[in-house]
Structure formats: structure tokens, C-alpha cells
């Protein structure tokens, strides 16, 4: 916790509080209120953007818990999302109520995550990254070839979510559902980071040997991190399935895993705010590119053919530039901006 | 049985290309401890540049090949200088992500210039098959296998006997000690990227002669991981053997899966199933250095 000017703590409890000042609380309250009202003002395209961002936020914050907080690199996050998506879709197709199906999807993903997390006891760093890469590719193969469960290459259509007879069948209704679950998961991860478990995760990330000497059971905690992270990923997957109403195996390819990793790197490793910023950034980037290419299509008429290649190139370039020039991510930049204005005009 | 023999030979040829790419991967990892996720894209860029020179600019194949090699040296240096050097000493995840970003950029550049259609190389070698053990084998396969063998021998000799190669091994072993003996670490890093880029390019050109090239060639880079993990991340011999074994294994597994379980496309994952098994049993591979940690 970084000390702030004029804030003095008299107890550890106060220091570990989520909100350290009333000002923060008010600001966040106003922000949430504005978000809650926004679907009534914005048109449905922007609301759909908000919805995609909500799903990305859940996925990013869960990966950040595993990679940013606990230090376990995972290149298989997209596949765990897929496990949750298919499990939740199958559950609702067999008549399980939506919320129960969502939890079921989460548990299925957690199970998959923990199975592939078992090697994490022996593997560190790059070896773990390669093991999770294998998990990603193997699960992708399963999605494509287990036709009775996933529909294979034909895909699987899913019904809109329905809670106690209330159907979430348009963008605005979906927004409230997605927003509340995204907010819940943010709250959950924030709180996990403040507990004994969260501190154990951080100690494993910082130096696993000291953590073990201090009495942290490495295997149990690493497995817990994989399970918790994959659970949330599964929930995000289930929501995604019921939002897009169609699942295909290509949705959960390695590109998805990489884009989630990019989100947490661009946002800031180990930071909840950073996950949100990264998710917003990575979801809006392709849309902004589409808009730009539309705007210059008069000058360069062929640009629409190259839009996919361009998108990929810009994505890679943004990732490289962030890693070189802003390795701490957007969250850190945001903190610096706030610090600058706090002392303005007497910044030293 | 003949079918499996054919699969075995195919596996050896594909495996020799895996070996080449794995060789590049291991050279980088040995010297700089960077895990290069862009290896497959380097293969692709090399293949496309050679294609562009021979087919689009009508340069004879031999000269085009040499020019491609020169280009790949520059590419390797540029990558090291621009993307990797600023990240020396950063966490694993940052270095991994920068190579992933690099792979996106390289793929996108190739797609912007050459599009996504499959491209076919001109015939360089005769097409009449040569009979080996009663099996018809295309000459290009034999050339591929031989070229990989030669390159492997050249690099083994380079690392064993040349001054530069010994300096690279010293750097890999202990950077600080190497530096204090007067070895320029930066030069070594640049050189290792150049070597990796050159061997990937050779792999790409061979692959282009066998199958033609398309913009999904980069997937090959992922196949390298099973090979290097099997052989040991920092062993040249391991890379060569690992590539061959994985190449043969995935072809045979693919044939078995088709015969026994009627599963299509198992080739794509067979290597990764093997990879998980190796990581569980022997994470440092056949010839890799085991990391021993003491408190």
C-alpha cells in the first residue's frame, strides 16, 4: 500500500481497507451510478461495447489473480473460458436454471484449471508457460472434436439467459446482468488479495522459497490460485456464451489467451484497477481501428481487405511498445497522473 | 505396415525441419535465456522473402537464397536491438509477451505484403522420386534431411571449436563471468538472434519447397516447444533429436489415431500430449541441464 499525503493509519485494519478515504468512495459511487444510467442514454452499439467490456473485465481480473498476483504464467486462460462456456451452455440446454448453470460452468473450468495446474508444483516460469500452452492446444482440439458436447466445427447455439422467468434478451437487460457479475468478481478478487490467501499468493510470486520457509504450502496455494482464477474464467465464459448466443471452437483459440495476457500487461500486473483498464483498452482497440479504417477508406479503398492483418499488427505493436515504455501498465500511469494533480501547482 | 513406413519417413522430414527451427530456438535460449515465441514467424518471413525474390523479382534461386540469408541476418539483429534489448533483466512474462507481440507484427507484415493465399515455390529439384528401401521418396525430402544434418554439424563445430562459439557458450553458462573475461555480451546476444534467424529461414525455404507457403506457417513455431522440451531447452543435440522424434511421433500417432479411433487431425495435438507427459516425468528433457536450487 502506498502511503498517501495526509492519510495516517492507526490500525492495520484501516490500512488494508478497500477505500481509504471518503473521496474515493464518492468518486467510485458517482462512476458506478453514471455507468448504471448509461444504457438509457447510449445507443445499443455502445451498450454492446460495455457488455463485451464487462465480460473481458471478469476474464482479465481472474487471469491477473493467477499471473499478476500469484506469478503463475498461464497461456491457457482462453481455453478455460471455453470449458466454462461449453459447460454452462450444455447445462442450460438440459434445463438447469441460468445462475446454477453459470456456477456449474465455473466449477467445470476450475476443475480443468486445477488439472492443468498440477504441473505447476514442479514447473516454474517458462516451463509452466509451455505446459499451459499445451493445455490450451489440447483443450482446443477437444472443443473441435468432441462433437456431442460442443457441436464441433458446426458450433452450438445457446438460449438467452432467463432468471426466474425474466428474460435478458436485449443489450440493456444484458448490461445489468453482466455489470453486476463483473462488479461482484472485482469485489471478490479485491477482497481475496487482502486476505491471508492473497498475501500467500503475493509471497509465492515474489520468492517462492521464502514463501515456503514462511510456512506457505506452495502446492495448495498454487492450485488454489489456478482453481479460483479458472472458476472466474469459467463464469466469464458462461456469460459470453449466453451473451453471443452462439459458441464455436475458434472463439477460444490461443489468440484469446494471448489477448487476456495483453490486457493484464497493458493494464498493470497484479492490479485490479489495471485489469479493468486493460480490458477496456483491448476491447475498444479493434473497434477504434475499424472506425479509423472506415474513415480513411476514401483515401485508401483497399484498406478493408487488410483490416485483419492490420489489427493483428497494431495489437503486436501496442504490446511491444507498452512492454518497453510502460512496463507497469496503465494503472501505474493513472496513479502518476493523480499524484501530479494532487500537488498541482506545487509538483516538485 | 508400408503405410506406417511412409509415415515414418514423412515424420523424419518434417522432424528435420522442426530440428532446424528448434536449433534456432535453443541458440537464443542458451545465450540470452529468452523463450522465443516468434520463431515460427521468423520461419515464415524467411520463406516469404525467398519466394518474393525468386518468383516476383525473377532472381535465380541460388542467389535469391543467399540474399534471403543476408536479409535474415539483418532481421535477427533488428529484432534483438529494437525489441529485446530494452527488456534485458525483466520478468519472464514480459519477455515472453514481447516475443508474442513480435510474432503478431511479423505475421501482419507478411499478410499485408503477400496476402493470405498459399504460394508455390518454383521447382528447384527434380520431381522423379528416388527409391529408398523400396519406398519412393521425393528428392526434396532427401535434400531437406541432408541440409538439416549439415547445418547441425556446422553449428556443433561452431560451438565447439570457434572462438565466437566458445564465447557464446561461456555467456550462456555465466553472463557475469563471461563479461569479466572480456566477452561483449551485446554482441553475443545479437549474434544468437542472427543465427536463430538464419536457421529458421533455411527451415522456411525448405518447407516452401516441399509444401508451398501460406500465412499460417507460423504455427510451426508452437510445434518447436515439444521438441525442445523433449531434448532439453539448452541442448543443441537435444534440439536435433527432439525435433526428429516429435516429427516421427506425431505422424505415427496421427496414423494410429485414424486407424484405431477414427480421430482426424490428431497430428496437431499429439506432440503436445507428449509434451505434457515429458513435463510431468522429466521436465529438463533428455539432455537439458537440471536446475538445482539450494536455499
Amino acid at each position: 500500500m502506498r502511503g498517501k499525503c495526509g492519510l495516517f493509519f492507526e490500525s492495520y485494519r484501516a490500512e488494508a481497507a478497500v477505500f481509504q478515504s471518503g473521496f474515493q468512495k464518492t468518486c467510485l459511487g458517482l462512476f458506478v451510478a453514471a455507468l448504471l444510467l448509461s444504457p438509457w442514454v447510449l445507443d445499443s452499439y455502445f451498450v454492446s461495447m460495455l457488455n463485451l467490456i464487462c465480460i473481458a473485465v471478469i476474464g482479465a481480473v481472474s487471469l491477473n489473480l493467477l499471473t499478476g498476483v500469484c506469478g503463475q504464467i498461464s497461456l491457457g486462460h482462453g481455453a478455460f473460458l471455453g470449458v466454462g462456456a461449453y459447460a454452462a451452455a450444455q447445462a442450460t440446454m438440459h434445463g438447469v436454471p441460468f445462475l446454477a448453470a453459470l456456477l456449474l460452468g465455473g466449477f467445470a473450468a476450475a476443475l480443468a484449471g486445477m488439472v492443468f495446474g498440477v504441473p505447476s508444483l514442479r514447473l516454474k516460469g517458462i516451463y509452466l508457460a509451455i505446459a499451459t500452452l499445451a493445455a490450451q492446444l489440447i483443450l482446443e482440439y477437444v472443443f473441435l472434436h468432441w462433437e456431442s458436447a460442443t457441436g464441433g466445427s458446426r458450433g452450438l447455439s445457446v438460449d438467452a439467459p432467463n432468471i426466474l422467468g425474466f428474460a435478458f434478451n436485449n443489450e440493456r437487460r444484458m448490461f445489468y446482468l453482466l455489470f453486476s457479475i463483473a462488479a461482484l468478481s472485482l469485489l471478490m478478487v479485491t477482497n481475496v488479495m487482502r486476505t491471508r490467501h492473497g498475501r500467500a499468493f503475493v509471497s509465492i510470486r515474489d520468492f517462492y522459497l521464502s514463501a515456503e520457509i514462511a510456512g506457505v504450502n506452495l502446492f495448495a496455494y498454487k492450485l488454489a490460485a489456478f482453481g479460483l482464477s479458472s472458476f472466474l474464467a469459467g463464469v466469464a465464459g458462461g456469460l459470453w456464451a449466453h451473451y453471443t448466443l452462439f459458441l464455436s471452437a475458434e472463439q477460444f483459440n490461443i489468440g484469446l489467451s494471448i489477448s487476456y495476457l495483453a490486457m493484464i500487461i497493458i493494464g498493470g500486473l497484479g492490479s485490479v484497477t489495471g485489469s479493468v483498464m486493460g480490458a477496456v483498452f483491448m476491447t475498444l482497440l479493434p473497434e477504434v481501428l475499424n472506425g479509423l479504417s472506415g474513415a480513411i477508406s476514401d483515401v485508401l479503398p483497399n484498406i478493408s481487405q487488410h483490416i485483419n492483418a492490420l489489427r493483428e499488427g497494431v495489437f503486436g505493436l501496442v504490446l511491444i511498445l507498452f512492454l518497453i515504455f510502460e512496463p507497469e501498465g496503465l494503472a501505474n500511469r493513472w496513479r502518476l497522473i493523480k499524484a501530479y494533480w494532487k500537488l498541482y501547482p506545487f509538483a516538485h | 505396415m508400408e503405410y506406417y513406413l511412409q509415415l515414418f519417413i514423412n515424420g523424419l522430414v518434417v522432424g528435420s525441419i522442426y530440428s532446424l527451427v528448434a536449433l534456432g530456438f535453443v541458440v537464443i535460449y542458451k545465450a540470452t535465456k529468452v523463450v522465443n515465441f516468434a520463431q515460427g514467424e521468423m520461419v515464415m518471413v524467411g520463406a516469404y522473402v525467398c519466394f518474393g525474390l525468386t518468383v516476383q523479382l525473377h532472381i535465380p534461386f541460388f542467389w535469391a537464397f543467399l540474399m534471403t540469408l543476408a536479409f535474415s541476418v539483418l532481421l535477427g539483429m533488428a529484432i534483438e536491438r529494437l525489441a529485446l534489448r530494452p527488456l534485458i533483466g525483466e520478468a519472464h512474462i514480459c519477455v515472453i509477451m514481447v516475443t508474442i507481440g513480435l510474432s503478431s507484427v511479423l505475421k501482419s507484415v507478411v499478410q499485408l505484403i503477400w496476402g493470405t493465399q498459399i504460394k508455390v515455390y518454383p521447382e528447384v529439384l527434380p520431381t522423379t522420386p528416388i527409391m529408398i528401401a523400396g519406398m519412393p521418396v521425393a528428392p526434396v525430402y532427401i535434400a531437406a534431411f541432408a541440409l538439416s544434418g549439415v547445418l547441425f554439424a556446422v553449428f556443433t563445430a561452431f560451438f565447439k571449436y570457434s572462438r565466437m562459439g566458445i564465447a557464446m557458450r561461456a555467456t550462456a553458462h555465466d553472463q557475469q563471468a563471461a563479461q569479466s573475461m572480456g566477452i561483449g555480451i551485446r554482441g553475443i546476444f545479437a549474434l544468437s538472434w542472427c543465427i536463430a534467424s538464419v536457421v529458421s529461414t533455411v527451415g522456411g525455404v525448405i518447407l516452401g519447397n516441399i509444401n508451398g507457403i501460406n500465412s499460417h506457417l507460423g504455427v510451426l513455431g508452437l510445434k518447436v516447444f515439444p521438441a525442445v522440451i523433449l531434448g532439453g531447452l539448452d541442448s543443441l543435440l537435444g534440439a536435433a533429436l527432439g525435433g526428429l522424434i516429435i516429427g516421427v511421433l506425431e505422424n505415427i500417432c496421427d496414423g494410429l489415431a485414424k486407424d484405431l479411433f477414427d480421430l482426424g487431425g490428431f497430428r496437431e495435438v499429439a506432440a503436445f500430449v507428449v509434451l505434457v507427459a515429458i513435463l510431468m516425468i522429466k521436465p529438463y528433457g533428455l539432455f537439458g541441464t537440471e536446475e538445482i536450487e539450494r536455499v
Side-chain angles (χ1 to χ4, degrees):
Chain A
M1 248 345 109
R2 205 160 292 226
K4 289 194 181 65
C5 189
L7 272 180
F8 303 103
F9 302 114
E10 289 169 356
S11 64
Y12 286 119
R13 208 185 154 75
E15 193 181 358
V18 177
F19 300 109
Q20 289 172 340
S21 65
F23 180 70
Q24 273 181 326
K25 241 183 248 185
T26 323
C27 281
L28 192 72
L30 286 176
F31 181 64
V32 168
L35 268 182
L36 285 177
L37 288 176
S38 60
W40 300 93
V41 187
L42 300 172
D43 67 25
S44 73
Y45 170 74
F46 289 103
V47 181
S48 74
M49 283 294 100
L50 282 177
N51 286 341
L52 287 177
I53 287 174
C54 285
I55 295 169
V57 161
I58 305 175
V61 83
S62 61
L63 182 62
N64 218 338
L65 184 69
L66 180 66
T67 303
V69 178
C70 194
Q72 310 296 306
I73 304 171
S74 169
L75 281 167
H77 206 63
F80 299 144
L81 223 85
V83 172
Y86 282 116
Q90 281 294 337
T92 46
M93 277 162 73
H94 287 87
V96 180
F98 173 70
L99 286 178
L102 209 56
L103 286 179
L104 214 65
F107 284 121
L111 197 69
M114 280 157 88
V115 167
F116 285 105
V118 169
S120 70
L121 177 66
R122 291 186 66 187
L123 306 175
K124 284 179 285 289
I126 44 165
Y127 284 92
L128 184 63
I130 295 171
T132 53
L133 174 75
Q136 164 77 38
L137 292 166
I138 292 170
L139 283 174
E140 243 177 72
Y141 181 81
V142 172
F143 294 155
L144 203 58
H145 287 85
W146 191 10
E147 300 212 347
S148 57
T150 66
S153 50
R154 277 174 290 112
L156 193 69
S157 37
V158 187
D159 292 331
N162 188 318
I163 299 176
L164 300 175
F166 184 82
F168 291 87
N169 50 10
N170 62 22
E171 294 283 352
R172 195 183 293 159
R173 289 177 178 179
M174 250 347 248
F175 171 76
Y176 289 107
L177 176 70
L178 294 173
F179 181 79
S180 44
I181 296 178
L184 270 180
S185 18
L186 285 178
L187 198 67
M188 177 176 150
V189 173
T190 313
N191 278 324
V192 164
M193 281 167 66
R194 302 191 305 143
T195 57
R196 179 190 164 81
H197 279 74
R199 288 193 298 274
F201 290 160
V202 172
S203 71
I204 292 174
R205 174 193 69 189
D206 287 346
F207 191 36
Y208 65 99
L209 278 180
S210 326
E212 192 163 26
I213 291 164
V216 173
N217 182 343
L218 285 188
F219 188 50
Y221 276 101
K222 280 181 182 175
L223 217 53
F226 265 99
L228 198 57
S229 156
S230 309
F231 174 80
L232 280 179
V235 170
L239 287 172
W240 200 16
H242 289 88
Y243 173 63
T244 57
L245 306 182
F246 184 76
L247 285 180
S248 68
E250 289 88 53
Q251 259 172 297
F252 306 104
N253 61 12
I254 177 126
L256 184 68
S257 296
I258 290 174
S259 81
Y260 274 114
L261 273 173
M263 280 180 205
I264 62 171
I265 286 197
I266 287 171
L269 285 173
S271 147
V272 174
T273 341
S275 317
V276 178
M277 290 177 178
V280 172
F281 187 93
M282 284 299 296
T283 316
L284 293 186
L285 184 67
E287 298 300 322
V288 171
L289 279 180
N290 276 348
L292 276 182
S293 76
I296 57 170
S297 61
D298 298 335
V299 193
L300 294 166
N302 288 333
I303 193 135
S304 57
Q305 296 165 15
H306 297 302
I307 185 70
N308 277 327
L310 268 181
R311 200 182 293 161
E312 176 128 27
V314 170
F315 163 75
L317 210 58
V318 164
L319 191 56
I320 294 175
L321 292 178
F322 259 94
L323 281 164
I324 293 176
F325 296 108
E326 192 80 89
E328 312 259 319
L330 288 170
N332 185 50
R333 179 56 47 189
W334 175 237
R335 197 161 54 222
L336 292 178
I337 291 172
K338 278 195 300 189
Y340 176 80
W341 285 103
K342 188 169 280 168
L343 297 175
Y344 185 84
F346 301 115
H348 50 84
Chain B
M1 203 53 228
E2 202 159 288
Y3 172 59
Y4 283 101
L5 198 61
Q6 188 68 51
L7 282 180
F8 180 77
I9 292 176
N10 281 351
L12 276 184
V13 173
V14 177
S16 66
I17 293 165
Y18 290 166
S19 301
L20 271 182
V21 184
L23 201 66
F25 182 93
V26 167
V27 168
I28 292 182
Y29 183 78
K30 252 174 105 84
T32 67
K33 291 280 176 286
V34 167
V35 175
N36 184 13
F37 276 79
Q39 200 75 41
E41 275 69 18
M42 284 158 75
V43 172
M44 181 171 77
V45 171
Y48 268 96
V49 169
C50 190
F51 168 80
L53 289 174
T54 44
V55 175
Q56 289 165 328
L57 298 181
H58 307 293
I59 297 172
F61 181 77
F62 179 72
W63 294 110
F65 184 58
L66 287 187
M67 282 160 79
T68 314
L69 289 187
F71 170 81
S72 67
V73 168
L74 292 180
L75 178 74
M77 278 211 269
I79 291 176
E80 196 275 337
R81 184 71 195 86
L82 296 176
L84 270 304
R85 193 171 294 174
L87 289 177
I88 288 179
E90 295 280 339
H92 281 313
I93 180 165
C94 296
V95 180
I96 288 179
M97 287 310 281
V98 97
T99 58
I100 288 178
L102 211 59
S103 73
S104 289
V105 171
L106 292 178
K107 201 193 295 174
S108 134
V109 168
V110 165
Q111 284 184 6
L112 283 179
I113 300 178
W114 284 285
T116 48
Q117 257 86 41
I118 192 158
K119 306 276 188 207
V120 185
Y121 266 59
E123 299 288 347
V124 181
L125 291 167
T127 45
T128 37
I130 297 168
M131 302 303 274
I132 292 178
M135 301 287 293
V137 183
V140 65
Y141 280 20
I142 297 167
F145 194 74
L147 197 54
S148 315
V150 168
L151 270 177
F152 175 70
V154 166
F155 279 109
T156 312
F158 172 75
F159 279 108
K160 206 154 191 170
Y161 301 114
S162 84
R163 214 179 143 77
M164 216 48 202
I166 294 171
M168 285 183 81
R169 268 165 50 208
T171 314
H173 189 69
D174 187 336
Q175 283 188 11
Q176 274 190 340
Q179 231 166 354
S180 62
M181 300 308 284
I183 293 171
I185 299 282
R186 285 180 178 177
I188 298 288
F189 283 8
L191 183 67
S192 64
W193 276 89
C194 290
I195 292 178
S197 179
V198 167
V199 289
S200 310
T201 299
V202 175
V205 174
I206 295 175
L207 211 61
N209 273 308
I210 294 176
N211 273 340
I213 45 179
N214 65 17
S215 57
H216 298 293
L217 206 59
V219 181
L220 187 82
L222 298 180
K223 286 285 180 58
V224 168
F225 289 110
V228 289
I229 291 283
L230 174 62
L233 265 180
D234 52 2
S235 154
L236 287 177
L237 179 64
L241 279 182
L244 287 180
I245 296 175
I246 292 292
V248 169
L249 215 66
E250 69 173 15
N251 271 288
I252 301 276
C253 286
D254 189 55
L256 283 176
K258 219 170 269 169
D259 279 357
L260 301 179
F261 307 108
D262 200 25
L263 267 175
F266 192 65
R267 187 191 312 260
E268 303 303 320
V269 284
F272 290 96
V273 177
V274 177
L275 168 65
V276 173
I278 304 163
L279 282 175
M280 297 267 190
I281 303 162
K282 200 166 161 40
Y284 298 108
L286 297 175
F287 305 102
T289 335
E290 285 200 30
E291 285 172 32
I292 301 167
E293 283 163 317
R294 296 195 177 83
V295 181

